[in-house]
Amino acid sequence: MKRIPFSAGVSLLALIMAAGLGLVSAYSQTTPETSWWLAIVFLWAMTMFTYAMNVRFARDPKNHIRFMMLNNLFRMMMSIVFVALVTWKRGKPDFNFVAVFFISYFVFTFFEIVAILPNLRRDLKETPVSEDGRKNKGFRS
C-alpha cells in the first residue's frame, strides 16, 4: 500500500477538521467565528513548517532529537502567542475558541508524531558505546 505524502495528508486533515467544525457548529446552532477557521489554518501552517524542519535536520543524526524538540517547543510557544493575541484582540476570554484551538493543536501534533515515528532510529538494548563516546560498562536496564 502506498503512503500519501505528508503535505497531502496534513492538508486533508485540515479540510476534514474544517468540515467537522462546520458540522458541529451547524448541529449546535452556533455561528463559527473567523478565529476558529484561522486557528486551523495557523496550525496547518505550523505543522507544515515544523515537519519541513524535522526532515531537514534528520540528516544530522546526532542532533536530530534536539532539533525535533526545539521545533515542538517553537510550535508550542507560537501557539500560545497566537491564542493570547486572538484573545487580547477580542477583548474577552472565549472558551469556545480556546477549546477549538487546543483540540486542533493536539490532533495536528498527533498526526505529525505518527508521520515522524517511522523515521526515528531505534535504540538498542545494549549499546557498546554511548552517544558521547564513553563505554557503557556495568550499565544494566
Side-chain angles (χ1 to χ4, degrees):
M1 181 174 181
K2 206 173 195 185
R3 289 179 48 136
I4 61 172
F6 180 79
S7 58
V10 116
S11 298
L12 182 64
L13 175 67
L15 289 174
I16 290 170
M17 290 188 70
L21 181 61
L23 288 174
V24 167
S25 63
Y27 179 74
S28 64
Q29 298 176 349
T30 59
T31 306
E33 301 285 332
T34 306
S35 58
W36 298 3
W37 308 106
L38 189 60
I40 292 174
V41 171
F42 172 79
L43 288 169
W44 171 81
M46 288 301 296
T47 303
M48 295 295 285
F49 175 76
T50 56
Y51 183 78
M53 290 293 106
N54 281 335
V55 168
R56 181 171 180 244
F57 290 115
R59 296 179 190 117
D60 184 13
K62 281 195 233 176
N63 295 322
H64 176 65
I65 298 298
R66 181 177 299 135
F67 286 123
M68 192 170 64
M69 291 297 131
L70 286 173
N71 279 332
N72 288 336
L73 178 66
F74 174 73
R75 181 193 353 206
M76 184 178 64
M77 297 307 282
M78 292 303 294
S79 296
I80 290 171
V81 167
F82 179 80
V83 169
L85 285 174
V86 169
T87 304
W88 175 71
K89 184 84 169 154
R90 298 198 80 205
K92 62 181 168 103
D94 185 9
F95 178 73
N96 291 333
F97 166 71
V98 174
V100 165
F101 183 85
F102 282 105
I103 288 171
S104 302
Y105 177 86
F106 288 123
V107 169
F108 275 102
T109 303
F110 176 77
F111 190 81
E112 184 180 6
I113 288 171
V114 167
I116 289 174
L117 203 57
N119 298 332
L120 296 178
R121 113 184 126 81
R122 291 193 322 209
D123 287 330
L124 300 174
K125 267 235 188 253
E126 292 184 32
T127 306
V129 177
S130 65
E131 290 183 1
D132 61 356
R134 293 180 292 164
K135 295 277 185 189
N136 289 333
K137 294 181 181 176
F139 178 77
R140 297 195 179 148
S141 50

